[in-house]
């Protein structure tokens, strides 16, 4: 896995009131400080990387929705260089195994704030590359259908300004935080860790299919942590030494 160093800094998290597409759970827009640098995966975790550590395909596990069984879907998405589609609990299993192998608690999921900070890469526009949705095709796999679409090899589109690929589209990415649609109104300003409890976890970045339309940098969505579909994966963080 390849990691990029993300510097400490601050940014405006969430969507401004002027963004008519943004739901209330992306507001209020608020300033957040990331007080420590960290390393984040340049790419989404691939199926090959999952298999190398776990020893079996993530698709050997039961899926939480029926779409994997659609004609041709398995053939389109079950490939070594495509993202590993896993649950939040699966992600924790992978992280535990990786930390055990590496001899320390260095790896984890990003917090929601860290994810958006890294995805924005210094931007305050709707996307990391600007405001024009017409430019999304250069940066994201998106808008596919369930009859012919699927995930794609990681790193095929343009990266953001900090060198991260697929922060828009391809697959949603689990983050560490519990989900609370009103959390932004009371979020700490320094290194927010998300709500202390909850029933659902946050995913970020949107996905390859046309119902996964959270491609804006501030977009967020929630799933139960044992949900194992065909369009959610992870991007790991490694703590800075």
């Amino acid at each position: 896995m390849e990691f990029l160093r993300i510097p400490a800094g601050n940014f405006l998290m969430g969507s401004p009131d002027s963004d008519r597409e943004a739901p209330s759970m992306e507001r209020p827009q608020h300033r957040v400080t990331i007080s420590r640098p960290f390393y984040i995966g340049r790419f989404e975790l691939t199926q090959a990387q999952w298999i190398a550590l776990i020893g079996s395909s993530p698709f050997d596990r039961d899926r939480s929705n029926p779409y994997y069984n659609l004609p041709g879907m398995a053939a389109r998405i079950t490939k070594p260089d495509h993202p590993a589609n896993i649950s939040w609990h699966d992600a924790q299993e992978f992280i535990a195994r990786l930390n055990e192998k590496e001899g320390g608690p260095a790896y984890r999921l990003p917090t929601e704030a860290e994810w958006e900070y890294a995805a924005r890469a210094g931007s305050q526009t709707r996307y990391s590359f600007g405001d024009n949705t017409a430019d999304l095709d250069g940066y994201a796999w998106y808008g596919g259908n369930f009859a012919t679409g699927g995930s794609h090899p990681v790193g095929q589109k343009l990266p953001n300004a900090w060198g991260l690929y697929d922060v828009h589209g391809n697959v949603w990415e689990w983050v560490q935080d519990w989900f609370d649609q009103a959390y932004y109104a009371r979020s700490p300003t320094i290194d927010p860790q998300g709500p202390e409890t909850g029933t659902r976890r946050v995913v970020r970045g949107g996905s390859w299919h046309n119902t996964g339309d959270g491609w804006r940098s501030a977009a967020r969505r929630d799933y139960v942590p044992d949900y194992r579909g065909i369009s959610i994966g992870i991007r790991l963080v490694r703590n800075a030494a």
Side-chain angles (χ1 to χ4, degrees):
M1 291 179 285
E2 186 177 353
F3 290 84
L4 296 178
R5 187 179 187 275
I6 305 299
N10 63 80
F11 74 111
L12 286 173
M13 184 173 182
S15 293
D17 291 339
S18 59
D19 189 342
R20 296 181 179 180
E21 289 187 22
S24 60
M25 65 181 176
E26 295 175 18
R27 301 190 182 99
Q29 192 175 58
H30 55 291
R31 186 161 294 279
V32 166
T33 295
I34 303 298
S35 68
R36 298 178 297 275
F38 60 94
Y39 291 86
I40 194 166
R42 182 188 289 271
F43 308 106
E44 295 162 332
L45 181 77
T46 68
Q47 294 169 41
Q49 290 166 336
W50 170 275
I51 292 169
L53 184 65
I54 301 299
S56 60
S57 169
F59 293 99
D60 291 344
R61 305 182 177 202
D62 292 339
R63 297 289 106 185
S64 298
N65 65 41
Y67 301 119
Y68 184 66
N69 296 319
L70 290 173
M73 182 62 74
R76 292 194 295 273
I77 69 175
T78 308
K79 298 180 179 180
D81 54 358
H82 286 221
N85 295 150
I86 58 177
S87 72
W88 188 91
H89 291 312
D90 293 337
Q92 300 308 307
E93 176 188 345
F94 184 90
I95 289 166
R97 293 274 292 273
L98 183 59
N99 282 327
E100 181 181 10
K101 179 182 175 70
E102 296 291 331
Y107 299 94
R108 59 181 174 83
L109 291 180
T111 66
E112 187 173 14
E114 287 171 335
W115 190 97
E116 185 172 331
Y117 176 62
R120 285 189 176 279
S123 68
Q124 282 303 147
T125 47
R126 299 175 79 242
Y127 307 98
S128 65
F129 52 83
D131 289 316
N132 191 353
T133 303
D135 294 332
L136 187 59
D137 186 61
Y139 294 83
W141 297 108
Y142 74 105
N145 60 54
F146 290 116
T148 61
S151 62
H152 294 264
V154 301
Q156 301 297 296
K157 296 284 189 170
L158 294 171
N160 73 4
W162 287 354
L164 303 180
Y165 290 83
D166 300 309
V167 292
H168 309 292
N170 211 8
V171 295
W172 291 99
E173 298 174 17
W174 292 107
V175 298
Q176 184 63 27
D177 301 34
W178 289 111
F179 174 76
D180 179 347
Q181 65 178 6
Y183 178 68
Y184 283 7
R186 60 180 185 279
S187 172
T189 59
I190 300 175
D191 299 324
Q193 302 295 303
E196 293 184 3
T197 60
T199 60
R200 302 169 76 86
R201 298 284 183 174
V202 178
V203 295
R204 288 301 210 107
S207 76
W208 57 265
H209 61 77
N210 53 18
T211 62
D213 57 352
W215 307 300
R216 293 173 295 103
S217 297
R220 53 202 302 254
R221 191 168 177 175
D222 58 295
Y223 284 94
V224 292
D226 61 353
Y227 182 81
R228 190 184 293 132
I230 58 170
S231 59
I232 307 178
I234 60 172
R235 184 187 305 267
L236 288 181
V237 158
R238 189 180 73 208
N239 293 327

